[in-house]
Amino acid sequence: MRKKRVLHLSTAHSPRDPRIVYKQCPALAERYEVWCALPRADPSAAPEVRFIRLPRFRRVVWRVLLTSPYILLRTFFLRPAIVHIYMPDLLPLAFIYRLLGSRVIYEVQENIYKKVAIKRHNRSSLLQRFFRGFDEAARRCFYFIFTEHGYLQTYDRLRHPSVIVYNYPIVADYQPYRATRHGPDSEINIFYLGGISFERAIDTVINGLARLRQHGYPFRMHLFGPLAFPEKELETIPAYSQLRQHLVFYGYTDQQRALPIAAQSLAGLALLKPVADYPESYPTKLFEYMALGLPVITSRFPLYREVVERHRCGFCIDPHDPQALADCLRFLIENPAEAEAMGERGRVAAERYYTWETERRKLLDFYQLIEF
């Protein structure tokens, strides 16, 4: 029997986005004919998925006026049974697909209502009114996937079924990169994976590392992810000039390049300040560090503490306190046996409780629920 066709659409995600390209689309390809339209899509990323390459625009107005018509032109004759969108600027296009007979899933990966205050682009009042209008209409017409249970506080009036599918890691993919320990005289590597911004405490990290350097430890901080601000703003951080040679900024990088560095690292950092939707949203890297067997240092939000303190796999600290960060790193350096035990406890917890396999089943069951 011919598989039903589904179409995944994003105007902003990377061509190798871990959740879309490596988790969701391949999982669905077991039952469906999966098409995926992404900016600069790379067909080699998932051979079982059919990709459509889109242009990439930072500003929402060009996505709506240029990218959305292009998507409709390229996909009109596909007539997918299900259309799965990831960006709010695709909501108008999603209503066209609904008129053409598709069922639409809107996946909410961030709480725009709370996050608009910290955005540097796409935050005009006109855009906010545009989003609110279509978002309210979507609640009446579409099916929803949420990546965090905290978003249900905002999306509490839905007409159709919804599901929470957490962005947990495929734990088996991280096993070849499990953290290895080195002797006391080797250089200390510290690892960060994700967007880099002041809201994600880059200033606390740099100032904390400056305090660590005062104790004479040789270290290198590896930061894999895009800067959310002009690079010159790093110079506003007092300790940046003295630490510049200890910081390695890789920009956005495929995880296959980043993970070998993680395997040689002392700890993984996931500090976020209490702004926007961060206190109610898990940082994906928290579970990735655990899968790698790295001790984690993250913010002391109740949501995060439920994971880290329950499994004793790291530290939860004030994300504004650089001295607390320096103290945690010193503890891990000076207590290698406990650092290794923390990492192992985190790895076991990731295998048991925070694995993509459980979320994959939820995703497939949800698709089956909404099929014609």
Side-chain angles (χ1 to χ4, degrees), residues 83-100 102-108 133-146 155 157-163 366 370:
V83 174
H84 187 143
I85 67 168
Y86 294 87
M87 298 300 298
D89 54 81
L90 287 167
L91 287 170
L93 180 62
F95 280 99
I96 296 176
Y97 282 110
R98 184 171 181 270
L99 290 174
L100 294 173
S102 301
R103 295 198 173 184
V104 176
I105 297 172
Y106 177 26
E107 180 164 318
V108 178
F134 277 101
D135 189 68
E136 287 292 336
R139 300 178 197 214
R140 298 190 297 270
C141 300
F142 298 162
Y143 301 85
F144 278 74
I145 291 177
F146 301 99
Y155 289 87
R157 293 176 287 106
L158 303 177
R159 184 169 295 178
H160 296 293
S162 64
V163 68
F366 187 65
I370 70 173

Side-chain angles (χ1 to χ4, degrees), residues 352-369:
R352 292 180 180 176
Y353 306 108
Y354 310 109
T355 172
W356 171 249
E357 186 56 33
T358 59
E359 306 310 298
R360 171 185 166 277
R361 290 195 292 269
K362 288 159 61 175
L363 176 69
L364 292 172
D365 290 346
F366 187 65
Y367 262 70
Q368 190 170 11
L369 172 69

Side-chain angles (χ1 to χ4, degrees), residues 20 36 45 52 64 67 70 94 131 153 175 200 219 240 244 247 253 272 276 288 307 323 367-368:
I20 299 174
C36 182
I52 298 171
V64 174
T67 306
Y70 177 78
F131 165 70
Q153 298 175 17
Q175 294 308 306
R200 294 173 185 261
F219 69 85
Y240 176 67
R244 191 191 303 259
L247 306 173
T253 310
L272 297 95
E288 293 172 337
V307 175
Q323 186 60 54
Y367 262 70
Q368 190 170 11

Side-chain angles (χ1 to χ4, degrees), residues 154-199:
T154 299
Y155 289 87
D156 58 350
R157 293 176 287 106
L158 303 177
R159 184 169 295 178
H160 296 293
S162 64
V163 68
I164 302 166
V165 179
Y166 295 107
N167 198 21
Y168 293 155
I170 303 174
V171 175
D173 289 352
Y174 292 82
Q175 294 308 306
Y177 305 101
R178 283 180 53 187
T180 55
R181 307 300 167 190
H182 301 276
D185 296 328
S186 60
E187 184 176 63
I188 298 159
N189 293 301
I190 305 164
F191 187 74
Y192 175 84
L193 180 66
I196 300 168
S197 67
F198 286 88
E199 293 80 16

